[in-house]
Amino acid sequence: MNSFWGKPTSTVDWCEKNYEVSYYIAEFFNTLSSLCLICAGIFGFIMHSKGFDHRFKLGFGTIIFIGIGSIIFHGTLLYPFEHFDGTPMVFYLLILFYSINENKKERKYGNWFPIVLFLWGLIFSIMLIVLGKYYENQIIKLVEFYIFQGSFLLMAVYVYLRVIAIVINLKNEKGIVALMIRGTIIFLIGYIGWNIDYHFCSEMNNILNPQLHAWWHVTASYSCYSLHIIVIFDRSKILGKNPKIKWVCIILPYVGLSDESEQNLPTKVMSSAERKLIVQEVSVKD
């Protein structure tokens, strides 16, 4: 194979034909679509940089790293780089897991909880890296792949069910239910495409490959971002910050806190009136 990175050694070689578009990029469309994750993370980080807990900025940063890792993995299809794609996903779920369990004003589990979660993620990452030395062994490859998928799936299901509970509790809040439904539908469409791409690759390549795994990156980035927004909204609501779901071009949601101009308007008017009164008093005295 005439390619920059050589023969693929990853656990899974996706349906996109390798090095068909570029000599330097193994899976061009899968790599390009990973930019959606980076963009979603950057947008979320910028829009929630002030007035929100640092945990959420860390979550958006993790989404950015998922996108970077996905680019490295799909761009090379080398097994050692497969960790760059999977490990950030685990830490992103750990952040969500922490956020939905520690969403009250007072900590429920104390300082040990985030430490334990971080250590679990660290140990899991080290396990992936250590087993990576034996990537020539097909059995080790499969065991590692299914251990990762199994742990990821269990954690993802738990987080999703807890987010559903949050949405039910906030059903009267404008935009929350619609955001959850939209994110879920988009995720399901992408996940169906992921499975079609994985299981019916030869059939698609015989007709026309629609690059469904690349579209999965687009849908997954939107769904992950949407879950994060709902958790942020719930936390802000509990803290009494009067959050609202706002939209950019009716597509990109974000959590907006009480309008600062509206909050400060009475103060500004009062201050202006007071200044005028002071000026009048000074003029009379003069």
Side-chain angles (χ1 to χ4, degrees):
M1 178 183 295
N2 185 24
S3 61
F4 181 80
W5 298 103
K7 183 179 178 180
T9 58
S10 59
T11 302
V12 180
D13 189 350
W14 303 102
C15 192
E16 181 178 353
K17 293 181 179 180
N18 300 334
Y19 298 101
E20 186 176 46
V21 177
S22 172
Y23 170 80
Y24 298 98
I25 303 175
E27 295 177 338
F28 180 82
F29 294 105
N30 287 347
T31 302
L32 183 64
S33 61
S34 298
L35 290 172
C36 290
L37 289 157
I38 296 177
C39 292
I42 293 175
F43 177 79
F45 189 95
I46 292 174
M47 299 304 292
H48 303 88
S49 59
K50 295 181 180 180
F52 300 93
D53 294 335
H54 293 300
R55 68 178 79 169
F56 299 122
K57 287 179 279 188
L58 183 62
F60 287 121
T62 307
I63 293 177
I64 295 174
F65 277 105
I66 293 174
I68 295 174
S70 183
I71 288 175
I72 295 174
F73 169 52
H74 287 289
T76 63
L77 284 183
L78 299 179
Y79 182 73
F81 294 149
E82 197 167 328
H83 311 314
F84 288 81
D85 182 56
T87 302
M89 297 181 190
V90 175
F91 279 97
Y92 171 70
L93 276 179
L94 287 173
I95 292 171
L96 280 183
F97 183 86
Y98 172 80
S99 298
I100 61 180
N101 285 285
E102 284 285 14
N103 61 342
K104 306 301 181 184
K105 292 183 179 180
E106 300 294 333
R107 283 192 177 184
K108 185 188 301 184
Y109 300 108
N111 294 329
W112 64 267
F113 187 47
I115 295 175
V116 170
L117 291 179
F118 174 78
L119 290 177
W120 188 90
L122 182 63
I123 293 172
F124 189 85
S125 302
I126 293 175
M127 181 192 73
L128 292 179
I129 296 173
V130 171
L131 291 180
K133 297 180 179 179
Y134 307 97
Y135 68 90
E136 298 90 350
N137 188 312
Q138 293 297 321
I139 295 178
I140 294 296
K141 273 186 175 184
L142 292 174
V143 169
E144 181 184 11
F145 179 76
Y146 285 112
I147 287 177
F148 167 71
Q149 293 294 336
S151 300
F152 185 84
L153 178 62
L154 290 175
M155 191 180 303
V157 169
Y158 173 83
V159 169
Y160 183 75
L161 292 177
R162 286 296 303 271
V163 173
I164 289 179
I166 290 174
V167 172
I168 293 174
N169 186 53
L170 298 173
K171 61 183 179 180
N172 294 325
E173 296 291 339
K174 185 178 179 180
I176 287 292
V177 175
L179 179 59
M180 185 67 182
I181 293 175
R182 177 186 294 192
T184 300
I185 292 175
I186 291 176
F187 172 82
L188 289 175
I189 292 173
Y191 186 68
I192 291 172
W194 185 95
N195 280 278
I196 293 174
D197 180 271
Y198 184 73
H199 295 288
F200 301 99
C201 178
S202 57
E203 289 80 355
M204 287 193 301
N205 280 329
N206 289 333
I207 306 174
L208 176 64
N209 190 342
Q211 308 299 339
L212 293 179
H213 190 83
W215 285 106
W216 157 250
H217 289 160
V218 178
T219 59
S221 63
Y222 192 89
S223 301
C224 289
Y225 177 85
S226 298
L227 284 181
H228 211 54
I229 292 300
I230 293 174
V231 175
I232 292 174
F233 184 95
D234 178 57
R235 171 69 172 171
S236 301
K237 183 75 175 178
I238 291 173
L239 295 179
K241 295 185 177 182
N242 192 25
K244 296 180 181 178
I245 296 295
K246 298 185 178 181
W247 299 83
V248 174
C249 299
I250 322 177
I251 299 176
L252 295 175
Y254 68 96
V255 178
L257 302 181
S258 298
D259 193 317
E260 292 182 2
S261 61
E262 293 178 0
Q263 286 182 330
N264 296 330
L265 182 59
T267 303
K268 291 179 180 178
V269 172
M270 181 66 70
S271 299
S272 177
E274 288 177 347
R275 284 196 297 269
K276 290 181 179 179
L277 181 60
I278 292 174
V279 171
Q280 291 176 357
E281 290 177 351
V282 171
S283 300
V284 171
K285 290 180 179 180
D286 292 341

